[in-house]
Amino acid sequence: MTQWFADKVLHLPTLASKNGAAIDELMVYIHVLMLALFVGWILYFGYALYRFSQSRNAKANYHGVRSHASNYLELAVAAIEAVLLIGIAVPIWARAVDKFPAADESTVIQIVAQQYAWNVRYPGHDGIFGRQDMKFVTSENVFGVDPTDAHGKDDIQVLNEVHAIVNKPVIIYLSSKDVIHSFRVLPMRICQDAIPGLRIPVWFTPTKTGKYQINCAQLCGPGHASMSGGFLFVEDEVDFQKWIGSKSGTSASFE
Amino acid sequence: METIVHEFPPYREHETAPEPEAHGHHADIGFWRKYIFSSDHKIIGIQYGFTALCFMLFGFFLMLMMRWQIAHPGAPVPVVGPLLAKLLGQPAAGGIMSPELYNSFGAMHGTIMVFLAIVPLAFAAFGNYVVPLMIGAPDMAFPRVNMASYQAYVLGGVVMLVSFFIPGGAAQAGWTSYSPLATSIPTDGQLFWILGMVLLITSSLLGAVNFIATIIQLRAPGMTWMRLPFFVWAQFVTAFLLLLAFPPLEAAAIMQLMDNAAHTSFFLPTGLAVGGQLAHISGGGSPLLWQHLFWFLGHPEVYVLILPGMGIVCEIIANNTRKPIWGYKSLVYSVLVVGFLSFIVWAHHMYLTGMGTKIATFFQATTMMISIPSVIILTCLFISLWGGSIRFNTPMLFALGFLPMFGIGGLTGLPLGLAPTDIPLHDTYYVIAHFHYVVAPGTIFALFAGIYYWFPKMTGRKMNEFWGRVHFWGSLVFMNLVFMPMFTQGMEGMLRRMADGGANYSAARVPGALNTLPNDIMALHTWILWAAIALGLAQVPFIINLFWSIHHGEKVQNDNPWEATTLEWQAPTPPPHGNFAEPPQIYRGPYEYSVPGHATDFTPQNEPDRPGSPALAPAH
Amino acid sequence: MEIPYAVYPRPDTGIYNAKVGIWLFLASEVMLFGALFSAYVLLRVGAPTGEWPHGWLNVTLGTVNTLVLALSAITTLLAWVACKTRQFDKFKIFHACTLMLALTFLCIKACEYHDKWIHYEIQLTDGRIADGHLRGSDANSVTIEGRYVTDEKDLYDLRAQKEIKSGEITIPRSQIKSMENYGPWHNTYLALYFTLTGLHALHILGGSIVIGYLWGPGRKLWKTDPEHFTNRIEVSGLFWHFVDLVWIFLFPVLYLT
Ligand code: HEA
Ligand code: HEA
Ligand code: CUA
Ligand SMILES: [Cu+2]
């Protein structure tokens, strides 16, 4: 039923992540509520206009409706909204921003957005990012990696391609170099502003392998509409490692 | 209350010279003092109205060009293309709309529609013309301040318009002007935008002070708070929203001005690199600070856009159902609650800026709460229809059209108000559709209704009914054809502010990916374009009707052609300078229609009680 | 046609129009400065530890200015009382005092601004920083009254460092990497300082103009309608007290903390 409503009525876009299911459910419930209110009121509206037009009802009734049924309707709306909020919305949000998966069981990635592309950085084989500091930031070294730090040596930095392992959580530390962008992969049901000066983590668990488009959802200048070069590749373990292998060594070095 | 009557100063001029307007010819005071630099609230109201309508038309034309670009990215704009190229030069080279130009048109469409069209029309124009009449006042409390407010508004508008023609063109960072983008774009457009905004804010503040003072001080004897027409209440709350929400934006504007002109870093963090180079700034600022200050205005502002409309609709529904409004008191309390709550929901525009659970919960809760009074308001208006004897004239058609249109817009606010469902919807056309349903077929319809309704009081003639109906049905159909498809587009992931209409994300461009905009979604662009053009054409009968009727409309038989109860209809037509011949005395609530045992089906607020008439029945 | 209650209060609200107007206006002013103060709080809390300046402003001058405004608040009050009791000569004196005090405040503020304007932080090629007030400069050298520091952090908290020994330093331009004066662009603190005090100074200026007008050409009204004139004094007084109040907040926030 819920599924049917989601597909046939709302035409929700493809879902390819664990965390997205709950969001889609909420989307369905709230729209059912809206639809109920809309249809209900429209029917009443239509009838009232027909029944009480001057031609059918020459003399208006000073008192109009005497019953207070509408109060119950309003209370009902309030109650349902409260349930959706406390029962569903808040828990989902809490999970999204508080309950991060353990780093060692997830693919950890750093992304720094810029006009008009995504810089992506992986910790490499040692699984540890090189030390980073504001004072190292230059127009090339957007992550401010400390050139002297050993951990940094095997880090992998690429442009516009994010690789992830299917069914394994992905944690992305998101920031921006110039203006505000927004990292959006609809099938993963994630969208997070990339804000200069801030480093905001966001996570999701992809469930379908494939190539997904990364959208920039925040106006970031004339190139905003064409900031479409970025892709998310969800692969199985093997392909992912193959890709990492092909990249390691090519890490952007700043010394 | 009676005591006040004696202390009420006389309305007549002290010197015995009769009012020139009262005699239909303006002899002694010249054209300029009368029509351009007038301090008469009615003239100022009309000035505001006309200017705002022109801006609305302009804002619409901007949007038409954008819709063309969305449907046919990179194709020269037909008809006006060459003109654009000549006027704007580089950004419109070859009549083709560059992304820069698209962005500045988008930003200016938003700015113009909100601050130069709807607010001046809904709040300033109707408020100025109608409120003093409705409360039985001779004029605004501060007529000269009122004139200054209009002049500041015009000046602000001029600054905004001029900014189109400066090198690099007008502001390009959206009507929300988020920093750092607003500071990093290399044109002075943003400076003009800020200066224009400061002028418009000043104008609104002067207006707000004036309205509140007028409503508190100049109510005619007997016009108690609970006898005020709902429209006056709506304007009262609106004025408070403007008064208290605008200053923070002014503060933000000042700081962004400093960022742009004095190279401070209020909104610019450390280590910012613009255009590849590390920016030479001190840093240490916060981009989110701007967003908080902007939306602290931004959300109350959206209720500024709707409340006057609700007020207008309420008046017209009462008048044309020929019965009292159902639940007048709950309407009043609801509008007060909305006013208050609208100050604590702003961050629902910022869910995706990395918001923690606590704060997100707070703002989701307040956002859900604020929807309840709106539900109550609409419910009252819906139920008021029951038992009425409904007259379907043009004002009523538009007022009735408002209800479901606002309903759709409002309801679609709910999924946006819940943070999790906002994730897939944020910055998509779903949002665009949401708020256009409230402001375009919503507020604009209410404003049309108001124009048709009060036109006879302003001119002594009615606007043409037939063309009014044509205007209504045309607008209703095409508004929906324009905005309904946007919900689908948004759901499917079509993002807003796309200079190419999302072509870069479409299935056509990126075959491989699993989430691309389907062709049928992209195809909707063409439909929307034609619907928007048709929507524009649907306004032609209105524009002609409006001007034609001033001199050729059907003359009204008396001062009260709609047989209304509220005070403005008891004044002479058009009301002279000073409005009422002698101070009106109010005896009852605003909506005493079809009072049992009363001769006519309407009992004006100032009709003295006759023995046997249940006139003093409290307002509902 | 005349507007009701322009001069005498409306019985049921007990207040005349202009007074309602000014209170509403002040409410919006509260929101304006409120927003700026919250910006101050947010930016200060967000600043990296140890990088917020202390003791950069001259507390003595600040205190004097505070007293000046406090005094002016009293004189405005007395001026209004004088009007109420119909002693026009007294009014003229007190009102003149207010005006003088207002101008005094602006002068002192101008000096403080100038002091920051000629205060330079000079990055040297050898990595050191020279910091002090510009005394003179020519084609190939710059002379300041100040000191050398090795770490920029040493420039932040001047209150902590007991006595700062500074002297005349002359630096050849060849050694100068970059130099920047203490304008709003220098750092967030100064940006806030100039914006907040600047906006406040504009309010003082506006107030002075009104006061000056009422003292000069505006006083004609006294002859024809003293009550109305008294109202104007009261209303302008209310505004003036608000402006003083803002300073009472600005002073500790910028000078003392
Ligand atoms: C007049 C203007 C107006 C009004 C009234 C509203 C009303 C509401 N808005 Fe809207 N909103 C905007 C103008 C408005 N909004 C604008 C301009 C934006 C975009 C700004 C930008 O980013 O550029 C926006 C964006 C916006 C967002 C941010 C979306 C995003 O950027 O991700 C959110 C999120 O919470 C939101 C929520 C709401 C809610 C909950 C209401 C509630 O108040 C709605 C309450 C009303 C109801 C619940 C309807 C009740 C009616 C019935 C029950 C009867 C139904 C009957 C029939 C239909 C016949 N709005
Ligand atoms: C009150 C506000 C308001 C109003 C009324 C409108 C009205 C309309 N808007 Fe607007 N819009 C905004 C506020 C408004 N908009 C804002 C804030 C944005 C976001 C900007 C941003 O991204 O920063 C936006 C963005 C926006 C977009 C998204 C652009 C993008 O994201 O790239 C689109 C797309 O279709 C659009 C379309 C329209 C249309 C077709 C109308 C139509 O409904 C217009 C209807 C009007 C008419 C048909 C004119 C009628 C004229 C008269 C009656 C005058 C008569 C004249 C005389 C008598 C002299 N608007
Ligand atoms: Cu990056 Cu939009
Ligand atoms: Cu909002």
Side-chain angles (χ1 to χ4, degrees):
Chain A
M1 176 58 199
T2 319
Q3 198 52 45
W4 172 85
F5 195 88
D7 301 340
K8 294 284 167 292
V9 183
L10 296 182
H11 295 287
L12 295 186
T14 29
L15 171 65
S17 78
K18 280 209 186 68
N19 45 297
I23 294 175
D24 286 7
E25 266 178 23
L26 181 57
M27 186 73 85
V28 168
Y29 298 150
I30 190 81
H31 276 86
V32 170
L33 169 67
M34 290 152 61
L35 210 63
L37 277 168
F38 181 76
V39 171
W41 277 115
I42 279 290
L43 293 177
Y44 162 86
F45 190 47
Y47 176 72
L49 293 187
Y50 161 85
R51 169 71 183 75
F52 296 105
S53 72
Q54 203 167 24
S55 48
R56 270 182 211 71
N57 195 34
K59 182 91 187 69
N61 170 351
Y62 178 78
H63 297 288
V65 172
R66 278 254 171 64
S67 92
H68 288 284
S70 62
N71 301 13
Y72 302 113
L73 176 74
E74 286 150 6
L75 284 176
V77 175
I80 299 173
E81 286 183 2
V83 171
L84 292 180
L85 173 67
I86 299 157
I88 308 183
V90 174
I92 295 180
W93 197 256
R95 220 176 309 130
V97 300
D98 297 338
K99 303 222 177 2
F100 272 71
D104 48 9
E105 292 146 18
S106 4
T107 323
V108 182
I109 308 171
Q110 296 181 344
I111 295 182
V112 167
Q114 73 178 62
Q115 292 170 322
Y116 299 97
W118 309 93
N119 301 283
V120 187
R121 191 168 182 89
Y122 294 82
H125 294 302
D126 62 0
I128 305 168
F129 286 101
R131 187 153 39 75
Q132 304 173 0
D133 189 323
M134 239 24 255
K135 68 173 181 287
F136 295 114
V137 171
T138 69
S139 40
E140 299 76 41
N141 184 359
V142 292
F143 290 89
V145 180
D146 178 350
T148 62
D149 180 27
H151 292 304
K153 291 285 183 285
D154 68 343
D155 289 7
I156 296 171
Q157 185 173 335
V158 290
L159 195 68
N160 273 341
E161 48 180 318
V162 180
H163 288 253
I165 301 168
V166 67
N167 294 325
K168 184 174 177 186
V170 182
I171 302 177
I172 297 176
Y173 290 89
L174 200 60
S175 183
S176 170
K177 162 182 161 185
D178 37 39
V179 302
I180 301 176
H181 304 263
S182 194
F183 181 85
R184 182 172 198 267
V185 186
L186 192 49
M188 304 299 154
R189 300 292 187 271
I190 56 159
C191 181
Q192 172 60 56
D193 287 3
I195 301 169
L198 296 179
R199 198 148 168 278
I200 305 165
V202 40
W203 73 280
F204 60 96
T205 315
T207 54
K208 290 203 192 88
T209 58
K211 176 186 177 191
Y212 303 90
Q213 201 171 31
I214 300 170
N215 298 2
C216 177
Q218 185 62 266
L219 179 63
C220 54
H224 170 55
S226 38
M227 189 166 168
S228 55
F231 289 94
L232 163 69
F233 300 90
V234 179
E235 308 154 327
D236 53 28
E237 188 72 42
V238 184
D239 296 358
F240 181 78
Q241 293 307 343
K242 215 182 284 136
W243 177 76
I244 289 277
S246 74
K247 288 293 173 186
S248 43
T250 69
S251 92
S253 54
F254 305 104
E255 48 267 54
Chain B
M1 275 306 147
E2 304 313 311
T3 57
I4 298 172
V5 184
H6 313 300
E7 318 197 349
F8 218 83
Y11 279 97
R12 288 181 208 72
E13 289 285 354
H14 283 319
E15 74 280 12
T16 49
E19 275 299 312
E21 295 93 325
H23 290 219
H25 63 81
H26 40 95
D28 34 23
I29 64 169
F31 170 84
W32 287 89
R33 275 270 279 89
K34 182 158 188 285
Y35 292 111
I36 307 305
F37 294 107
S38 169
S39 64
D40 180 337
H41 72 99
K42 298 179 292 298
I43 304 295
I44 294 179
I46 291 168
Q47 288 173 325
Y48 257 117
F50 181 72
T51 324
L53 280 169
C54 295
F55 273 114
M56 192 191 286
L57 197 56
F58 180 60
F60 173 63
F61 281 138
L62 288 179
M63 183 43 60
L64 268 189
M65 294 182 250
M66 292 170 69
R67 285 311 317 187
W68 167 268
Q69 166 78 359
I70 290 173
H72 309 284
V77 186
V79 190
V80 292
L83 184 65
L84 280 182
K86 198 180 283 100
L87 287 178
L88 306 176
Q90 183 46 36
I96 299 169
M97 202 186 275
S98 64
E100 288 81 356
L101 192 61
Y102 181 91
N103 287 350
S104 56
F105 278 16
M108 295 314 271
H109 164 79
T111 308
I112 287 172
M113 282 300 199
V114 173
F115 299 107
L116 285 159
I118 300 296
V119 173
L121 190 52
F123 176 69
F126 282 110
N128 258 307
Y129 196 98
V130 179
V131 166
L133 287 167
M134 269 191 170
I135 65 176
D139 202 317
M140 286 295 223
F142 313 113
R144 272 205 248 69
V145 173
N146 205 13
M147 180 169 70
S149 154
Y150 174 70
Q151 287 158 351
Y153 160 65
V154 172
L155 215 58
V158 170
V159 172
M160 291 289 184
L161 289 180
V162 168
S163 73
F164 278 94
F165 303 103
I166 65 172
Q172 298 175 18
W175 82 294
T176 49
S177 291
Y178 281 5
S179 284
L181 181 62
T183 310
S184 65
I185 294 175
T187 82
D188 294 339
Q190 195 62 28
L191 276 176
F192 278 70
W193 186 86
I194 294 171
L195 294 176
M197 283 309 295
V198 169
L199 284 163
L200 294 176
I201 292 172
T202 313
S203 157
S204 290
L205 288 180
L206 295 178
V209 169
N210 214 342
F211 276 67
I212 301 173
T214 307
I215 295 172
I216 292 179
Q217 290 291 94
L218 302 193
R219 283 168 293 120
M223 181 59 87
T224 59
W225 287 98
M226 278 305 159
R227 286 176 177 174
L228 287 175
F230 180 67
F231 176 75
V232 177
W233 272 110
Q235 291 287 6
F236 189 63
V237 174
T238 307
F240 267 103
L241 294 184
L242 287 171
L243 185 77
L244 301 178
F246 253 137
L249 182 65
E250 194 163 24
I254 292 167
M255 286 188 270
Q256 199 175 68
L257 188 69
M258 293 292 282
D259 277 3
N260 287 354
H263 307 293
T264 56
S265 303
F266 283 109
F267 306 125
L268 309 177
T270 313
L272 200 66
V274 175
Q277 273 30 293
L278 277 188
H280 295 293
I281 54 163
S282 63
S286 156
L288 286 184
L289 175 58
W290 167 266
Q291 294 189 23
H292 280 292
L293 290 172
F294 180 89
W295 288 119
F296 186 87
L297 157 89
H299 192 89
E301 178 69 19
V302 306
Y303 287 92
V304 169
L305 296 174
I306 199 71
L307 293 183
M310 288 175 162
I312 294 171
V313 168
C314 183
E315 297 304 318
I316 292 171
I317 285 186
N319 174 255
N320 289 303
T321 52
R322 317 302 299 159
K323 64 183 283 299
I325 283 296
W326 190 87
Y328 169 82
K329 278 204 175 60
S330 19
L331 276 175
V332 171
Y333 295 134
S334 300
V335 79
L336 290 171
V337 173
V338 167
F340 169 73
L341 284 177
S342 66
F343 282 100
I344 51 172
V345 300
W346 77 88
H348 65 210
H349 296 267
M350 299 168 59
Y351 285 139
L352 303 184
T353 54
M355 199 182 273
T357 312
K358 285 195 193 61
I359 301 180
T361 308
F362 174 79
F363 282 104
Q364 293 180 76
T366 51
T367 304
M368 289 300 114
M369 278 192 242
I370 202 173
S371 68
I372 298 306
S374 316
V375 171
I376 296 178
I377 291 176
L378 244 78
T379 309
C380 288
L381 294 178
F382 272 123
I383 295 188
S384 299
L385 300 173
W386 195 268
S389 168
I390 302 172
R391 305 186 304 205
F392 291 96
N393 46 36
T394 314
M396 186 59 165
L397 284 176
F398 274 105
L400 291 172
F402 169 92
L403 297 176
M405 292 301 109
F406 172 78
I408 295 174
L411 288 172
T412 49
L414 299 178
L416 298 173
L418 296 170
T421 39
D422 189 40
I423 294 172
L425 297 179
H426 177 64
D427 269 335
T428 63
Y429 266 73
Y430 192 96
V431 176
I432 298 292
H434 151 65
F435 72 78
H436 281 87
Y437 260 98
V438 262
V439 292
T443 305
I444 293 187
F445 276 17
L447 297 177
F448 284 150
I451 294 173
Y452 284 100
Y453 182 65
W454 280 300
F455 189 85
K457 179 52 64 179
M458 302 181 186
T459 62
R461 295 171 183 272
K462 282 190 178 179
M463 286 175 73
N464 179 288
E465 266 296 313
F466 172 76
W467 289 111
R469 288 164 193 278
V470 173
H471 177 214
F472 169 72
W473 290 109
S475 302
L476 183 70
V477 170
F478 293 119
M479 279 282 188
N480 284 282
L481 287 181
V482 168
F483 292 115
M484 193 53 81
M486 295 188 190
F487 284 119
T488 329
Q489 291 186 310
M491 271 286 181
E492 298 265 358
M494 163 89 192
L495 292 166
R496 57 190 289 196
R497 295 169 169 174
M498 285 283 146
D500 63 355
N504 276 316
Y505 292 133
S506 64
R509 293 275 179 91
V510 269
L514 283 160
N515 58 320
T516 49
L517 295 173
N519 297 330
D520 53 348
I521 290 298
M522 298 302 287
L524 286 173
H525 287 336
T526 335
W527 290 99
I528 297 178
L529 170 63
W530 289 108
I533 292 170
L535 175 61
L537 294 177
Q539 309 306 317
V540 174
F542 167 73
I543 300 178
I544 297 173
N545 192 350
L546 188 70
F547 290 113
W548 184 84
S549 305
I550 293 175
H551 294 301
H552 311 289
E554 167 204 348
K555 265 199 159 60
V556 293
Q557 301 314 324
N558 57 27
D559 288 338
N560 190 358
W562 306 115
E563 305 191 311
T565 54
T566 44
L567 275 183
E568 78 270 31
W569 297 106
Q570 320 310 329
T573 310
H577 192 50
N579 297 346
F580 297 88
E582 68 284 326
Q585 165 71 30
I586 284 59
Y587 296 92
R588 62 182 60 75
Y591 305 121
E592 292 301 300
Y593 287 101
S594 307
V595 178
H598 192 276
T600 59
D601 70 347
F602 66 105
T603 320
Q605 288 190 270
N606 64 338
E607 182 181 291
D609 305 320
R610 263 180 259 84
S613 79
L616 270 179
H620 286 248
Chain C
M1 178 267 303
E2 78 174 21
I3 305 295
Y5 314 121
V7 181
Y8 293 95
R10 172 178 171 127
D12 59 345
T13 63
I15 184 172
Y16 58 87
N17 298 346
K19 208 159 165 183
V20 179
I22 194 68
W23 278 117
L24 291 167
F25 175 69
L26 291 185
S28 81
E29 289 281 88
V30 170
M31 294 304 285
L32 176 65
F33 282 97
L36 287 165
F37 275 109
S38 34
Y40 168 88
V41 172
L42 203 130
L43 292 175
R44 177 168 180 171
V45 171
T49 44
E51 294 196 12
W52 195 262
H54 297 285
W56 277 23
L57 299 175
N58 184 327
V59 178
T60 330
L61 287 179
T63 319
V64 172
N65 254 351
T66 313
L67 295 175
V68 166
L69 284 191
L71 212 59
S72 76
I74 298 171
T75 51
T76 31
L77 200 62
L78 292 172
W80 175 65
V81 174
C83 284
K84 268 285 176 210
T85 53
R86 298 291 188 268
Q87 301 164 287
F88 196 59
D89 309 337
K90 266 217 190 131
F91 157 78
K92 274 183 293 189
I93 297 159
F94 287 128
H95 218 50
C97 295
T98 315
L99 191 54
M100 286 308 128
L101 289 163
L103 297 179
T104 320
F105 177 92
L106 287 176
C107 292
I108 296 181
K109 203 89 215 90
C111 299
E112 288 185 85
Y113 279 174
H114 177 257
D115 178 73
K116 288 275 158 284
W117 215 255
I118 62 166
H119 189 166
Y120 277 83
E121 175 182 337
I122 307 176
Q123 308 281 349
L124 303 182
T125 43
D126 61 9
R128 288 184 310 163
I129 300 168
D131 179 272
H133 293 82
L134 194 65
R135 287 292 173 253
S137 72
D138 55 41
N140 43 25
S141 80
V142 173
T143 312
I144 60 166
E145 173 80 26
R147 57 171 181 160
Y148 289 109
V149 294
T150 47
D151 180 0
E152 188 164 31
K153 289 224 180 341
D154 302 344
L155 293 173
Y156 283 117
D157 192 346
L158 301 185
R159 231 188 290 130
Q161 308 161 9
K162 279 292 146 272
E163 85 294 335
I164 300 165
K165 59 190 76 62
S166 66
E168 186 128 320
I169 309 173
T170 304
I171 310 157
R173 284 202 182 271
S174 55
Q175 291 179 18
I176 295 178
K177 193 142 106 265
S178 68
M179 60 188 285
E180 183 177 83
N181 64 344
Y182 279 35
W185 44 79
H186 191 60
N187 65 18
T188 309
Y189 172 80
L190 287 169
L192 282 161
Y193 167 71
F194 279 103
T195 311
L196 284 167
T197 55
L199 197 62
H200 176 260
L202 282 179
H203 280 72
I204 296 276
L205 192 64
S208 321
I209 293 170
V210 174
I211 293 169
Y213 170 80
L214 289 175
W215 188 83
R219 70 167 73 163
K220 284 196 304 300
L221 185 59
W222 175 267
K223 308 254 176 331
T224 54
D225 189 347
E227 189 57 27
H228 195 179
F229 184 77
T230 312
N231 289 347
R232 287 189 176 175
I233 297 303
E234 183 180 23
V235 165
S236 61
L238 280 169
F239 174 78
W240 194 254
H241 284 99
F242 172 80
V243 178
D244 297 351
L245 189 69
V246 172
W247 179 258
I248 298 300
F249 282 96
L250 282 175
F251 177 56
V253 159
L254 294 170
Y255 288 71
L256 303 182
T257 63

